[in-house]
């Protein structure tokens, strides 16, 4: 039986190749449609404009650039996201302290559960 992620377009913005590959593989196994992964701010900003994105996974630090501009763009469009980062909550601006954050290193089931919960909250009228 397909889970909540099946058929959902999930944007992945992550600059560490092996982490990005693990996330892509795990999401594909859950039948999600993976957008990316991309590793740069410019590519992330470009993909954040795509229609139909259900949710996103964002690394905070992308090759020395902050992904907060991508978070801003997604938030403005009403697209929920999770930060996957080595940063602590205090390192994020106040406006983003409420956003779910998964610490690196992480277990893939933790990421999938966070996305599932994020999408479940979007389903509530």
């Amino acid at each position: 039986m397909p889970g909540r992620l099946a058929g959902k377009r999930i944007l992945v913005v992550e600059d560490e190749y092996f982490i990005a590959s693990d996330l892509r593989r795990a999401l594909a196994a859950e039948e999600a449609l993976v957008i990316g992964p991309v590793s740069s701010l410019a590519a992330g900003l470009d993909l954040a404009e795509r229609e139909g994105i259900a949710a996103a996974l964002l690394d905070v630090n992308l090759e020395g650039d902050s992904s907060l501009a991508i978070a801003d763009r997604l938030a403005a469009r009403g697209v929920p996201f999770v930060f996957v980062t080595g940063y602590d909550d205090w390192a994020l601006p106040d406006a983003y302290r409420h956003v779910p954050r998964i610490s690196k290193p992480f277990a893939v089931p933790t990421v999938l559960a966070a996305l599932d919960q994020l999408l479940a909250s979007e389903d509530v009228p």
Side-chain angles (χ1 to χ4, degrees), residues 9-73:
R9 296 167 55 90
I10 309 295
L11 172 63
V12 177
V13 181
E14 170 60 60
D15 66 348
E16 293 182 43
Y17 175 80
F18 290 110
I19 292 174
S21 294
D22 287 347
L23 291 171
R24 181 181 41 79
R25 193 171 24 260
L27 290 168
E30 295 294 318
E31 300 179 19
L33 304 172
V34 181
I35 308 301
V38 294
S39 61
S40 71
L41 177 60
L45 285 168
D46 183 50
L47 290 182
E49 293 298 326
R50 291 210 179 162
E51 293 299 317
I53 296 173
L57 297 171
L58 299 180
D59 184 3
V60 173
N61 183 348
L62 300 172
E63 301 173 351
D65 291 322
S66 169
S67 71
L68 294 179
I70 301 168
D72 291 341
R73 189 154 300 165

Side-chain angles (χ1 to χ4, degrees), residues 90-108:
W90 60 265
L92 297 172
D94 288 340
Y96 288 114
R97 293 217 177 125
H98 70 284
V99 173
R101 184 185 59 82
I102 298 170
S103 295
K104 292 180 183 178
F106 58 84
V108 168

Side-chain angles (χ1 to χ4, degrees), residues 3-11 27 30-33 52-57 78-82 100 111-125:
R4 189 178 309 277
L5 298 180
K8 300 288 185 178
R9 296 167 55 90
I10 309 295
L11 172 63
L27 290 168
E30 295 294 318
E31 300 179 19
L33 304 172
I53 296 173
L57 297 171
V79 177
F81 54 92
V82 175
V111 175
L112 296 176
L115 277 174
D116 191 56
Q117 186 173 24
L118 196 65
L119 292 170
S121 67
E122 292 294 308
D123 292 341
V124 176

